[in-house]
């Protein structure tokens, strides 16, 4: 019999675009830690209001129905989320949560890596002034800012995205995660041209069973370039096109994955989309708050962002 999570996600695996040039590289955990968690955020939206004229809200409204009505009959949840769209039109933006998420992480005493895009497209529609404000705020809070890349088939385009983000940051950019996890050789060419150090886009969804998850570690992609695979994504846990878990199921999943990581001495990489940390997705917000409080209550877990993780990879 197949383990319950093994085939539950209909989302495809994101593989290496070419064979890595190393085996899995060891991560030196800080003294006293048995395993670790690396926190990251893909910024697909800075607000719902940026979508009032681009047609995205129609797809989003349809997805609310799909998430709440087809497999899980929760009409109250759908009505609440649609009401959130209406309120956004009236001025209160439920996806404007950057400050709230920063506060939650500051309370927990953790840092995370925020991947932000500089190009619109594929559902992303925030503009340069909003990007600058977000980057300034994140950097003032001491957070790492990486690129949420868009140019998946164009090395020069990707390198240009990196340069633009570095100019916005006023500092070099070290890391990347591609939007929609669209990774190809051109991305690696662009990363090398722009001097990036790491990518975290590869995601093996072939075996999501938390008791048997391989939790693949970092590998060298090319000279000077690391790939640090992604393990846990909010949408993979909660979406009906992913594992379709509820809050209790997602808590249990991560707890078991933590046991697995402790057994293997691994660092679990997590991605929470900031807009999911909102009243539009109350279960995901609650899940992340609980995750932070459970992890920080333990003494055997090392919590880090990608900056901290890269420093401890021996390569
Ligand atoms: Zn994205």
């Amino acid at each position: 019999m197949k383990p319950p999570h093994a085939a539950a996600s209909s989302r495809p695996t994101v593989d290496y675009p070419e064979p890595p040039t190393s085996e899995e590289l060891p991560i030196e955990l800080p003294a006293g830690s048995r395993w670790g968690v690396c926190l990251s955020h893909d910024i697909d939206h800075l607000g719902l209001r940026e979508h009032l004229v681009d047609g995205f809200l129609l797809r989003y409204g349809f997805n609310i129905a799909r998430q709440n009505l087809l497999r899980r009959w929760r009409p109250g949840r759908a009505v609440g989320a649609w009401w959130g769209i209406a309120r956004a039109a009236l001025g209160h933006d439920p996806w404007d949560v950057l400050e709230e998420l920063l506060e939650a992480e500051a309370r927990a005493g953790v840092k995370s890596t925020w991947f932000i895009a500089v190009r619109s497209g594929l559902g992303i529609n925030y503009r340069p002034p909003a990007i600058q404000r977000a980057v300034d705020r994140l950097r003032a809070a001491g957070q790492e800012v990486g690129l949420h890349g868009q140019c998946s088939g164009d090395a020069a385009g990707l390198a240009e995205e990196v340069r633009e983000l570095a100019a916005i940051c006023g500092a070099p950019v070290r890391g990347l995660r591609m939007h929609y996890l669209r990774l190809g050789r051109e991305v690696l060419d662009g990363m090398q041209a722009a001097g990036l150090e790491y990518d975290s886009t590869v995601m093996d969804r072939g075996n999501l069973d938390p008791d048997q998850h391989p939790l693949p570690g970092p590998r060298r992609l090319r000279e000077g370039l690391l790939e640090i695979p992604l393990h846990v994504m909010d949408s993979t846990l909660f979406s009906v096109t992913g594992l379709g878990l509820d809050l209790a199921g997602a808590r249990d999943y991560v707890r078991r994955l933590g046991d697995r990581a402790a057994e293997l001495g691994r660092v679990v990489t997590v991605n929470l989309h900031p807009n999911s940390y909102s009243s539009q997705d109350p279960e995901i917000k609650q899940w992340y708050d609980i995750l932070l409080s459970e992890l920080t209550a333990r003494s055997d877990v090392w919590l880090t962002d990608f900056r901290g993780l890269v420093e401890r990879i021996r390569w």
Side-chain angles (χ1 to χ4, degrees), residues 106-223:
R107 272 197 306 275
V110 300
K111 290 273 193 283
S112 52
T113 297
W114 303 62
F115 296 105
I116 191 164
V118 293
R119 293 264 190 285
S120 50
L122 284 173
I124 290 179
N125 199 26
Y126 43 74
R127 300 291 161 175
I131 298 169
Q132 186 72 59
R133 275 196 305 276
V135 165
D136 289 348
R137 184 64 192 96
L138 292 170
R139 287 181 51 80
Q143 306 282 356
E144 180 184 21
V145 175
L147 177 69
H148 203 32
Q150 289 274 31
C151 292
S152 59
D154 169 10
L158 189 86
E160 185 51 35
E161 287 181 53
V162 176
R163 279 190 285 273
E164 277 178 38
L165 183 58
I168 292 167
C169 288
V173 174
R174 298 169 63 187
L176 169 75
R177 181 174 295 130
M178 294 301 291
H179 182 45
Y180 273 68
L181 307 183
R182 297 185 311 159
L183 190 59
R185 285 186 178 199
E186 295 84 355
V187 172
L188 308 191
D189 296 339
M191 287 183 73
Q192 279 188 309
L196 288 185
E197 281 174 60
Y198 72 87
D199 171 69
S200 179
T201 301
V202 164
M203 188 173 188
D204 180 359
R205 292 189 177 109
N207 181 5
L208 293 174
D209 181 348
D211 302 323
Q212 296 175 32
H213 200 296
L215 291 171
R219 297 172 80 168
R220 194 187 305 111
L221 267 174
R222 289 183 183 175
E223 197 52 46

Side-chain angles (χ1 to χ4, degrees), residues 28-69:
E28 205 172 316
L29 293 170
S33 302
R34 291 168 63 217
W35 60 291
V37 175
C38 177
L39 299 171
S40 65
H41 306 297
D42 291 1
I43 304 180
D44 288 348
H45 315 277
L46 285 167
L48 257 174
R49 289 178 61 79
E50 67 214 21
H51 299 293
L52 288 178
V53 290
D54 68 0
F56 169 85
L57 290 180
L58 276 176
R59 296 196 300 280
Y60 176 55
F62 172 76
N63 192 45
I64 289 170
R66 190 168 65 142
Q67 296 295 333
N68 290 289
L69 303 177

